[in-house]
Amino acid sequence: MASLRKHITMQYWLLKSEPDVFGIHDLAKKPKQVAVWDGVRNYQARNMLRDLFKKNDLAFFYHSSCEQPGIVGVVKIVKAGYPDPTQIKNDKLPWYAVDVKLVKKFPRVITLIELRAQRSLENMVVLRKGNRLSVMPVTASEWQVVHHLIGEN
DNA sequence: GCCAACGTTGGC
DNA sequence: GCCAACGTTGGC
């Protein structure tokens, strides 16, 4: 029963980062391969971090604003939403962070071009025109499709 | 570097 | 509360 409940409440996410600032290789070098996912300064993204992210949720690590934008690996949420330590301290503290741990680096980048070519991913949030969120949900089927693209399950 | 798309700000 | 101006994101 416990495992069934866990399965039902499991959420998948996509976290965007510029590799020049913080890429998956930087995460791999961290102690225990854990890093604070901080610096999110968008209210919609903040609300997801604060209200919806749960410990043990899984997320794709996405590289943006670089030569090969795309999904580069998987991380696990090891600490759910808490006040972002990088924000300026005042009485409000509106921003939130989570801690992520590297689960795996994919053997290659699953590029944006490749993702766009999949009919089964046509509703994926990251592919929507004008999307600028750095935190966004991924459905279970989208999660599976992406893994199939690299021959993993 | 360009530009579309979106979020935020601030005058009214 | 409207909306123009501005700033930022991010693919190309």
Side-chain angles (χ1 to χ4, degrees), chain A residues 53-120:
Chain A
F53 270 60
K54 304 296 179 202
K55 190 178 176 183
N56 295 324
D57 282 356
L58 295 173
F60 287 132
F61 196 126
Y62 180 93
H63 281 176
S64 67
S65 293
C66 57
E67 201 170 328
Q68 270 204 317
I71 295 170
V72 293
V74 172
V75 299
K76 179 187 278 193
I77 310 308
V78 292
K79 186 176 178 184
Y82 62 95
D84 186 335
T86 66
Q87 67 191 305
I88 295 162
K89 299 289 186 290
N90 59 30
D91 55 345
K92 293 259 180 187
L93 299 176
W95 303 117
Y96 278 72
V98 296
D99 288 358
V100 302
K101 179 179 173 64
L102 182 64
V103 173
K104 62 182 158 191
K105 273 194 266 187
F106 287 151
R108 62 183 182 82
V109 180
I110 305 171
T111 64
L112 192 55
I113 293 167
E114 192 175 353
L115 295 171
R116 287 198 193 286
Q118 309 301 317
R119 281 296 292 278
S120 50

Side-chain angles (χ1 to χ4, degrees), chain A residues 4-20:
Chain A
L4 178 62
R5 177 174 161 73
K6 183 182 172 186
H7 177 71
I8 288 167
T9 57
M10 175 80 214
Q11 296 282 336
Y12 297 107
W13 305 100
L14 184 146
L15 294 170
K16 210 187 268 181
S17 184
E18 298 181 27
D20 292 346

